[in-house]
Amino acid sequence: SAEYFCNLDANLMRLDYRQRPELMKGTVDFVVPEEYWAINPPQRLVLPYYTHQPPRTGSRPPEPMRYIFAFDVSYEAVQLGFLRSACACVSRILFGGTDADGASLDACFPPECSVAFLTYDSTIHFYDLSVRLCHSVRAVGFISIQTDPVRMLVVSDIEEVFVPLQRGLFVNPVQRLGGQVFVFSGTIPTVGIGQLKGQPNETDLLDTDKERGLYQPRDNAWIEIGQDCAADGIGVHMILAPIKYMDVGSIGVVASLTGGDLLYHPRYDPMRDEVVLESQLRRLVRRMQGYNCVMRIRSSHGAFLFITSSLPL
């Protein structure tokens, strides 16, 4: 275009070469207008959940990322010490603290992001994190404010799960989807959608054509969960610490489809593995990441672009 035109110097280089980062750098970030924002996917005919809110249409405005930490509070996770380690690591990520050697650790949670907590065993537990002021008493030189404790709301219907509150689930709630979910699990899911029953007889499958099935989901519900999360811009990280068989081939597909990480700690020992677990969690929280991305490729008439179905663009 005429706006992009520029004369050349004696070396046949543009005179504004030094003033244009896109001509000097391999990767350049631009603040783009709304027409470049990600678009909400079309609504499916059958949804895996029920909502009274109207379907989201149009573009998705950029918003700070939201984080959900889901903790396994089953008997096995508590006895193993995995629950205590997970809570301690997340607490130090959010608020800082000290490590095993007494060294100070800074909080590394992004200040502009919001956080929510879930716990689960045979039921799902939601927590109202909103601050509700009961009353304030003005005294000499200060104001005493009393607040309600955090409320736990238990959802026992795991076949048709619903969120029991709209406000207070996140500390700093935002209006749009997008973010990350950290799932801490120590046992195989045996109830609800995607339940997995028993361990397959691996001896009969080894060295046969059916052996590949050990690395694939046994229930398509896990694939649908991953696809739904990916469509809404949600990445799921699976942190697994089993003491017995856990179908990683089924559970782990959610992390694969959503761009999340799968962290595997078999026979979890808090004294040995908690340092590694916290280091992994800090890396996941602190690294550069994004969601709701749009990929647009421009090429000249002489370039050819081949896209196969194995590339999830």
Side-chain angles (χ1 to χ4, degrees):
S1 63
E3 297 179 355
Y4 202 74
F5 174 81
C6 182
N7 293 320
L8 304 180
D9 60 11
N11 296 320
L12 301 181
M13 300 290 292
R14 290 174 61 105
L15 295 177
D16 60 350
Y17 175 77
R18 299 290 182 180
Q19 287 74 42
R20 290 191 175 274
E22 68 272 18
L23 301 179
M24 299 178 57
K25 307 294 183 180
T27 303
V28 181
D29 294 334
F30 294 96
V31 178
V32 297
E34 183 175 354
E35 53 264 26
Y36 284 88
W37 292 356
I39 305 298
N40 285 293
Q43 186 177 8
R44 296 170 49 181
L45 296 178
V46 179
L47 294 176
Y49 56 87
Y50 172 78
T51 176
H52 65 277
Q53 297 180 352
R56 297 177 301 274
T57 59
S59 58
R60 300 179 183 177
E63 295 285 354
M65 188 173 291
R66 300 190 296 182
Y67 291 78
I68 298 178
F69 293 94
F71 299 96
D72 181 359
V73 294
S74 63
Y75 176 80
E76 291 83 357
V78 175
Q79 289 295 106
L80 190 63
F82 182 56
L83 175 61
R84 188 206 63 82
S85 293
C87 293
C89 293
V90 173
S91 176
R92 288 191 288 266
I93 289 174
L94 295 176
F95 308 109
T98 57
D99 59 12
D101 298 329
S104 177
L105 295 175
D106 296 331
C108 61
F109 189 76
E112 69 279 1
C113 298
S114 56
V115 62
F117 298 98
L118 303 178
T119 55
Y120 63 92
D121 44 20
S122 59
T123 58
I124 303 177
H125 320 128
F126 295 85
Y127 296 89
D128 186 356
L129 303 179
S130 61
V131 178
R132 296 169 302 280
L133 301 181
C134 293
H135 61 277
S136 61
V137 180
R138 184 176 298 275
V140 179
F142 68 94
I143 297 177
S144 175
I145 299 179
Q146 298 181 1
T147 61
D148 290 340
V150 173
R151 293 189 305 161
M152 181 178 71
L153 297 91
V154 180
V155 176
S156 58
D157 187 357
I158 57 177
E159 296 296 336
E160 297 182 359
V161 178
F162 63 95
V163 179
L165 71 166
Q166 290 186 343
R167 298 182 179 273
L169 182 62
F170 288 87
V171 174
N172 296 312
V174 294
Q175 299 299 322
R176 294 291 178 179
L177 286 175
Q180 297 195 63
V181 179
F182 292 74
V183 179
F184 298 85
S185 180
T187 57
I188 186 173
T190 57
V191 294
I193 299 175
Q195 57 183 290
L196 302 170
K197 299 295 186 181
Q199 177 179 359
N201 192 344
E202 299 181 2
T203 304
D204 296 339
L205 301 178
L206 293 178
D207 297 328
T208 66
D209 294 338
K210 297 182 179 180
E211 183 179 357
R212 69 184 66 178
L214 297 174
Y215 307 96
Q216 299 174 350
R218 287 191 287 166
D219 193 330
N220 289 332
W222 294 98
I223 298 179
E224 295 176 359
I225 292 173
Q227 292 174 345
D228 291 337
C229 290
D232 285 327
I234 301 173
V236 181
H237 305 286
M238 309 292 293
I239 301 95
L240 308 179
I243 57 176
K244 53 186 179 180
Y245 174 76
M246 176 179 285
D247 193 347
V248 181
S250 297
I251 302 173
V253 71
V254 179
S256 301
L257 293 175
T258 60
D261 283 32
L262 178 63
L263 308 180
Y264 191 62
H265 296 272
R267 299 178 179 86
Y268 184 83
D269 183 359
M271 297 297 295
R272 178 194 62 200
D273 300 325
E274 184 172 326
V275 175
V276 178
L277 176 62
E278 182 170 355
S279 176
Q280 293 173 333
L281 294 177
R282 283 183 170 269
R283 176 182 176 273
L284 293 179
V285 173
R286 299 177 65 175
R287 69 183 181 183
M288 182 68 68
Q289 51 202 335
Y291 67 99
N292 286 348
C293 300
V294 174
M295 183 181 219
R296 294 190 178 183
I297 301 177
R298 294 184 175 91
S299 62
S300 64
H301 295 291
F304 295 91
L305 176 65
F306 296 91
I307 301 179
T308 65
S309 59
S310 61
L311 297 177
L313 299 180

